[in-house]
Amino acid sequence: MPPDIAELSYEAARDQLVEVVRRLESGQGGLEDSIGLWERGEMLARRCQQWLDGARERLDEAVSARRQSD
């Protein structure tokens, strides 16, 4: 994953992904541009999923720790 995507916050990655989808749906770009956008969109979606997976893991750990302390 390119550093410019790997360093994005969840919100920034999501916003960029929304823009990529908007541009793809407009159909105004050529094939090469569309492929590049698609690839970037896939990486942005992967980055968003990393954030969500990390958040789920942290929540699971917090719930587990709370149950152990009760």
Side-chain angles (χ1 to χ4, degrees):
M1 182 174 302
D4 69 314
I5 292 177
E7 296 172 0
L8 291 174
S9 68
Y10 171 79
E11 292 79 6
R14 181 199 59 213
D15 291 347
Q16 285 189 28
L17 181 56
V18 167
E19 178 61 19
V20 165
V21 170
R22 185 194 66 73
R23 289 177 60 191
L24 285 169
E25 287 178 341
S26 76
Q28 293 180 357
L31 179 60
E32 196 65 35
D33 290 338
S34 294
I35 291 171
L37 282 171
W38 180 269
E39 291 171 340
R40 183 163 181 85
E42 287 290 326
M43 289 183 278
L44 289 164
R46 193 173 317 124
R47 182 63 180 139
C48 288
Q49 191 61 55
Q50 287 174 337
W51 274 106
L52 294 172
D53 291 346
R56 170 55 69 191
E57 186 176 315
R58 290 175 60 190
L59 288 171
D60 289 345
E61 289 172 2
V63 168
S64 178
R66 181 177 173 105
R67 286 183 182 152
Q68 290 176 359
S69 69
D70 286 343

